[in-house]
């Protein structure tokens, strides 16, 4: 073997000494340099007479980057055609790269595929740097003279964003030792970052029996570090809303950096010192409102609550059943819910009971609205006095309204009706309201009955039918007492009450030749008289015969008048146009005839429902003109008499002019 030169650049050889003593030789460590090269003798530290090696040149690179290793300062002269590169790990150099005559060659090993020669051999590039590469790299030049240069490679990697996990079980203020608040984790950093804990933006420091920070790190297979830091603290009630977070400080070649975690709040448990009661909604309450009575406390967790209400008879507080802890729900408040309420909080840990102050709940009400007389009735021309009463805890106002129109008839509890006519019958509504509580009111409906014989919605009607058709004929009458209805023809009849004084009868009947000849008569009667409605049936020759059913809704009414309606059947547009044209011509001829007789003075004027006019033989045709009134039946009620022989109001709304020979 060959002993290498052990002198440093400053000269580690004793003056005047040319031989290496045996003691000095024993103090040398034999280190292999390569497969074919002789060993390099490296002086051990602490040997008398030996000088410390020069400080390595620092080089900083981030993980994944490329380290440029220069063999000596850039200004130093030298021949780099014959250079050996070593990596020093645990003071053991290992040959990793050779430069011979300007050509580079990697040695087998971990660096074999990551090294390349740059700048005409003066720089060795190490690609894809990892934390394992943080070590000293040494280059040795042999020509023209031996020289070496050391480089200390420093590797950096920013950690990931720190994650923080709060203690889900919480911390009690009664704990005598610091309890775990949260855990902070910073993954894959290099070197290990520094952690700082904050509470409400202020850094926390170790404090005996108050604050303790315990940190540890794990080395991943990649060589990166995962840091875990646990904050333990003794908290007080004021910390219930405190914001905790951690900060990681680390260094990169570009300088110092830091990353912060999100803020967390740890549950803090403390006993309650006060219990109180709240009512929702806030403000004036009225019957029908949804009301919540809620117990609250300043403890965490909240105590177990009970809600009590004072019994107005015994003055004792009686517990109310609740579905939720400390919440009593009144889905529809009533006046009986008014009274004094109180909450009681029981701390299940200390078994201490805290009562709240009593609070009064007032539910404003209007109830027992009464109208007298309850069933008012009068004969035509008579008078009535209706009186309304109600109960409330506040001042009341009264109004009287007509039910079918909503018209305000009177303001005040008394309604006086004079000279009553048939159309005055029906519903009257008393409204009792509290002006100081918007929306608080109650109403009571009373029906006024006017004695009278039956009143028909129509006197006569005509229907176009086809033979063997099953029809529903309807007839409606009203009166007081409520009338009964009978039919002049056989069939199945059904009665329906429209209101206490009105009835609708529906007759199911088959159209036969006898029915076509006689028609159908509806008779309504009570002990005060009778009245009739006649329905004439005319055969429609344009429709084919055959058994079928034509249903007319018994509820079909126009201006309060029940009418029979024939089901529509398809017909061509041409037929419809011809029919319209014929109707126009007929009306024109009829108008001319009427005007002619009026000028001749042969057309008498009167209120008769029918007028017979004799036409010349050459114009023997039958025309029937029907004029319907828009007046409501009630408006025409006074036109009808009390007996069946007098004309019904329906007759006033329909006038027939029969033009016959």
């Amino acid at each position: 073997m060959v002993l290498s030169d052990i002198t440093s650049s400053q000269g580690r050889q004793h003056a005047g000494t040319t031989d290496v003593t045996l003691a000095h030789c024993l103090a040398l460590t034999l280190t292999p340099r390569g497969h074919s090269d002789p060993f390099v003798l490296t002086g051990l530290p602490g040997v008398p007479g030996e000088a410390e090696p020069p400080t390595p040149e620092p080089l900083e690179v981030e993980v994944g980057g490329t380290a440029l290793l220069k063999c000596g300062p850039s200004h130093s002269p030298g021949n780099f055609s014959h250079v050996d590169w070593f990596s020093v790990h645990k003071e053991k150099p290992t040959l990793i790269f050779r430069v011979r005559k300007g050509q580079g060659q990697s040695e087998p090993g971990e660096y074999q595929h990551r090294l390349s020669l740059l700048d005409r051999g003066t720089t060795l590039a190490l690609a894809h740097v990892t934390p394992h590469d943080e070590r000293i790299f040494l280059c040795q030049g042999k020509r023209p003279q031996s020289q070496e240069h050391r480089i200390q490679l420093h590797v950096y990697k920013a950690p990931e964003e720190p994650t923080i996990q709060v203690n889900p079980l919480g911390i009690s203020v009664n704990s005598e030792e610091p309890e775990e608040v949260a855990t902070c984790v910073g993954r894959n950093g290099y070197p290990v970052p520094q952690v700082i804990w904050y509470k409400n933006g202020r850094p926390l420091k170790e404090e005996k029996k108050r604050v303790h920070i315990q940190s540890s790190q794990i080395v991943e297979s990649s060589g990166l570090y995962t840091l875990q830091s646990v904050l333990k603290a003794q908290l007080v009630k004021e910390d219930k809303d405190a914001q905790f977070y951690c900060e990681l400080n680390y260094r990169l070649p570009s300088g110092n950096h830091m990353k912060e975690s999100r803020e967390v709040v740890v549950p803090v448990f403390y006993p309650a010192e006060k219990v109180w009661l709240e009512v929702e909604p806030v403000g004036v309450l009225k019957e029908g409102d949804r009301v919540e009575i809620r117990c609250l406390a300043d403890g965490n967790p909240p105590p177990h609550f009970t809600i009590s209400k004072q019994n107005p008879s015994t003055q004792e507080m009686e517990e109310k059943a609740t579905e939720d802890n400390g919440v009593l729900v009144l889905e529809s408040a009533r006046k009986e819910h008014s009274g004094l309420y109180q909450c009681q909080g029981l701390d299940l840990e200390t078994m201490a009971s805290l009562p709240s102050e009593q609070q009064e709940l007032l539910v404003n009400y209007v109830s027992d609205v009464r109208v007298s007389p309850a069933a008012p009735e009068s004969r035509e021309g008579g008078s009535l006095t209706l009186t309304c009463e109600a109960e409330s805890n506040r001042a009341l106002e009264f109004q009287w309204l007509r039910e079918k129109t909503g018209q305000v008839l009177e303001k005040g509890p008394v309604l006086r009706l004079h000279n009553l006519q048939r159309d005055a019958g029906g519903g009257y509504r008393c409204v009792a309201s509290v002006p100081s509580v918007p929306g608080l009111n109650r109403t009571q409906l009373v029906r006024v009955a006017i004695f009278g014989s039956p009143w028909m919605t129509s006197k006569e009607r005509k229907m176009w039918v086809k033979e063997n058709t099953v029809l529903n004929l309807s007839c409606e009458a009203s009166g007081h007492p409520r009338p009964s209805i009978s039919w002049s023809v056989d069939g199945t009849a059904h009665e329906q009450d429209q209101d206490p004084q009105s009835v609708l009868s529906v007759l199911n009947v088959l159209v036969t030749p006898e029915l076509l000849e006689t028609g159908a008569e509806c008779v309504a009667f009570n002990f005060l008289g009778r009245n009739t409605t006649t329905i004439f049936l005319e055969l429609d020759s344009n429709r084919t015969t055959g058994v079928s059913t034509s249903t007319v809704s018994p509820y079909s009414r126009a201006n309060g008048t029940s009418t029979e309606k024939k089901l529509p059947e398809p017909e061509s547009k041409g037929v419809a146009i011809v029919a319209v044209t014929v109707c126009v011509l007929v009306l024109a001829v009829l108008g001319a005839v009427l005007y002619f007789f009026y000028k001749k003075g042969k057309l008498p004027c009167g209120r008769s429902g029918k007028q017979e006019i004799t036409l010349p033989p050459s114009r023997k045709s039958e025309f029937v003109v029907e004029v319907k009134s828009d007046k409501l039946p009630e408006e025409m009620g006074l036109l009808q008499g009390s007996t069946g022989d007098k004309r019904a109001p329906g007759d006033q709304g329909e006038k027939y002019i029969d033009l016959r020979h």
Side-chain angles (χ1 to χ4, degrees):
M1 63 177 62
V2 177
L3 296 178
S4 63
D5 191 353
I6 63 173
T7 61
S8 66
S9 60
Q10 297 176 349
R12 293 187 302 178
Q13 179 176 329
H14 295 288
T17 304
T18 57
D19 298 329
V20 179
T21 62
L22 179 60
H24 199 174
C25 290
L26 294 176
L28 299 177
T29 301
L30 300 179
T31 303
R33 296 177 54 190
H35 298 288
S36 58
D37 288 339
F39 290 90
V40 176
L41 295 180
T42 305
L44 292 176
V47 177
E50 291 289 334
E52 291 295 329
T55 302
E57 177 186 356
L59 178 61
E60 297 179 344
V61 182
E62 288 193 49
V63 170
T66 299
L68 301 179
L69 308 174
K70 296 182 179 295
C71 189
S74 58
H75 61 273
S76 62
N79 185 357
F80 300 100
S81 62
H82 190 94
V83 176
D84 291 333
W85 281 93
F86 299 87
S87 71
V88 181
H89 182 57
K90 296 182 179 179
E91 299 184 359
K92 180 181 179 181
T94 301
L95 182 64
I96 60 173
F97 199 83
R98 299 169 181 267
V99 180
R100 298 292 185 268
K101 297 181 180 181
Q103 299 297 320
Q105 176 65 42
S106 293
E107 291 294 316
E110 60 176 320
Y111 294 104
Q112 183 175 1
H113 302 293
R114 293 195 289 144
L115 295 173
S116 59
L117 202 60
L118 302 176
D119 298 338
R120 299 181 181 180
T122 62
T123 302
L124 184 65
L126 172 60
H128 309 299
V129 171
T130 70
H132 300 294
D133 297 330
E134 185 168 84
R135 59 186 62 183
I136 293 177
F137 290 87
L138 170 67
C139 77
Q140 285 185 345
K142 297 298 183 180
R143 298 174 185 175
Q145 59 182 3
S146 297
Q147 59 180 1
E148 70 177 27
H149 184 70
R150 293 171 179 263
I151 301 172
Q152 174 65 60
L153 183 60
H154 297 284
V155 180
Y156 298 94
K157 168 68 168 61
E160 298 174 4
E161 293 289 335
T163 59
I164 188 169
Q165 182 66 44
V166 72
N167 177 10
L169 302 179
I171 298 176
S172 173
V173 297
N174 296 326
S175 177
E176 298 180 356
E177 297 293 333
E179 298 287 339
E180 179 180 333
V181 177
T183 300
C184 180
V185 177
R187 302 183 183 278
N188 298 323
Y190 194 88
V192 181
Q194 179 187 8
V195 63
I196 301 177
W197 282 94
Y198 289 84
K199 183 180 78 171
N200 295 330
R202 296 183 178 182
L204 295 173
K205 295 183 179 180
E206 289 273 354
E207 185 178 346
K208 187 177 182 181
K209 293 186 178 180
R210 294 286 299 170
V211 179
H212 178 61
I213 300 175
Q214 182 180 354
S215 299
S216 61
Q217 60 266 1
I218 300 173
V219 182
E220 308 289 348
S221 59
S222 61
L224 301 176
Y225 290 103
T226 293
L227 171 70
Q228 178 174 289
S229 181
V230 180
L231 172 64
K232 295 183 178 181
Q234 194 173 28
L235 303 182
V236 295
K237 180 179 178 180
E238 290 70 25
D239 294 325
K240 60 185 178 67
D241 298 319
Q243 303 278 340
F244 293 90
Y245 69 94
C246 63
E247 175 186 283
L248 297 182
N249 292 324
Y250 58 95
R251 189 179 182 281
L252 296 178
S254 58
N256 295 325
H257 300 268
M258 68 88 161
K259 290 183 178 180
E260 295 177 344
S261 72
R262 61 184 177 91
E263 293 181 328
V264 295
V265 177
V266 63
V268 179
F269 303 128
Y270 46 89
E273 298 177 356
K274 182 181 178 182
V275 175
W276 66 95
L277 181 148
E278 287 185 355
V279 177
E280 293 181 358
V282 178
V284 180
L285 302 178
K286 64 180 183 297
E287 280 191 315
D289 286 346
R290 185 182 188 275
V291 179
E292 285 191 7
I293 302 173
R294 187 181 302 274
C295 293
L296 299 173
D298 59 354
N300 187 33
H304 175 73
F305 293 109
T306 56
I307 300 179
S308 301
K309 180 181 181 293
Q310 187 182 58
N311 188 318
S313 301
T314 64
Q315 303 300 312
E316 297 291 332
M317 301 300 294
E318 298 177 352
E319 184 176 337
K320 294 294 182 180
T322 58
E323 296 182 359
D324 194 7
N325 181 31
V327 180
L328 176 61
V329 179
L330 309 176
E331 290 294 345
S332 181
R334 304 186 304 276
K335 65 178 182 178
E336 294 82 6
H337 292 137
S338 297
L340 291 177
Y341 288 82
Q342 186 180 40
C343 286
Q344 197 83 14
L346 177 63
D347 193 311
L348 299 179
E349 183 177 352
T350 63
M351 300 307 295
S353 180
L354 287 174
S356 71
E357 294 183 357
Q358 292 183 348
Q359 184 170 333
E360 184 177 7
L361 181 72
L362 177 60
V363 179
N364 296 282
Y365 66 91
V366 176
S367 62
D368 300 329
V369 181
R370 302 174 301 278
V371 175
S372 59
E377 55 186 13
S378 174
R379 293 187 177 275
E380 288 185 296
S383 299
L384 278 175
T385 299
L386 306 179
T387 303
C388 186
E389 298 177 336
E391 294 181 0
S392 176
N393 63 314
R394 299 206 180 198
L396 285 171
E397 286 186 357
F398 295 91
Q399 279 188 337
W400 285 94
L401 288 78
R402 191 74 159 104
E403 183 190 18
K404 62 184 178 181
T405 63
Q407 178 187 3
V408 177
L409 303 177
E410 187 69 45
K411 291 186 177 181
V414 180
L415 174 64
R416 294 178 175 85
L417 302 174
H418 302 285
N419 191 24
L420 292 169
Q421 302 301 317
R422 182 184 295 269
D423 60 350
Y428 293 80
R429 190 175 296 275
C430 171
V431 180
S433 60
V434 177
S436 58
V437 183
L440 179 56
N441 60 73
R442 286 288 184 90
T443 67
Q444 180 62 44
L445 176 67
V446 62
R447 294 191 179 276
V448 173
I450 307 299
F451 286 102
S453 61
W455 170 64
M456 314 300 289
T457 57
S458 62
K459 187 66 177 177
E460 295 179 354
R461 292 202 306 277
K462 178 180 289 187
M463 293 183 59
W464 293 98
V465 298
K466 59 183 179 180
E467 199 170 353
N468 295 329
T469 299
V470 178
L471 295 177
N472 285 336
L473 305 179
S474 66
C475 176
E476 184 175 357
S478 63
H480 182 67
R482 173 188 175 278
S484 298
I485 293 180
S486 63
W487 292 86
S488 63
V489 295
D490 294 333
T492 304
H494 302 280
E495 288 190 358
Q496 301 174 9
D497 289 334
Q498 302 299 94
D499 58 53
Q501 282 81 44
S502 298
V503 62
L504 173 70
S505 179
V506 179
L507 178 69
N508 185 265
V509 64
L510 175 67
V511 178
T512 62
E514 294 79 7
L515 183 63
L516 288 171
E517 181 178 353
T518 62
E521 184 179 62
C522 164
V523 180
F525 56 90
N526 59 16
F527 76 88
L528 294 175
R530 63 193 300 274
N531 211 335
T532 62
T533 292
T534 303
I535 302 175
F536 297 102
L537 304 179
E538 296 288 343
L539 188 63
D540 186 354
S541 59
N542 291 331
R543 288 166 172 77
T544 59
T545 59
V547 179
S548 62
T549 301
S550 177
T551 302
V552 179
S553 172
Y555 306 102
S556 300
R557 305 181 67 187
N559 296 327
T561 302
S562 175
T563 59
E564 302 297 334
K565 296 183 179 180
K566 179 171 57 62
L567 292 178
E569 295 188 8
E571 57 184 31
S572 67
K573 295 182 179 178
V575 174
I577 294 173
V578 171
V580 172
T581 303
V582 171
C583 289
V584 172
L585 293 175
V586 169
L587 290 175
V589 172
L590 178 60
V593 171
L594 292 176
Y595 182 78
F596 173 80
F597 281 104
Y598 175 77
K599 286 295 186 179
K600 294 293 184 179
K602 296 182 180 182
L603 181 62
C605 295
R607 298 184 62 184
S608 174
K610 298 180 181 179
Q611 301 291 340
E612 290 189 4
I613 302 175
T614 303
L615 298 179
S618 61
R619 301 191 60 185
K620 289 182 179 180
S621 298
E622 180 179 347
F623 297 89
V624 179
V625 179
E626 180 179 353
V627 181
K628 292 187 178 180
S629 172
D630 290 333
K631 293 185 179 179
L632 292 174
E634 288 187 358
E635 296 175 351
M636 300 187 296
L638 297 180
L639 299 177
Q640 177 182 345
S642 61
T643 65
D645 296 335
K646 296 183 179 180
R647 186 169 307 282
D651 194 42
Q652 301 299 323
E654 299 180 3
K655 300 181 187 296
Y656 290 84
I657 299 176
D658 194 2
L659 307 180
R660 302 172 184 266
H661 175 61

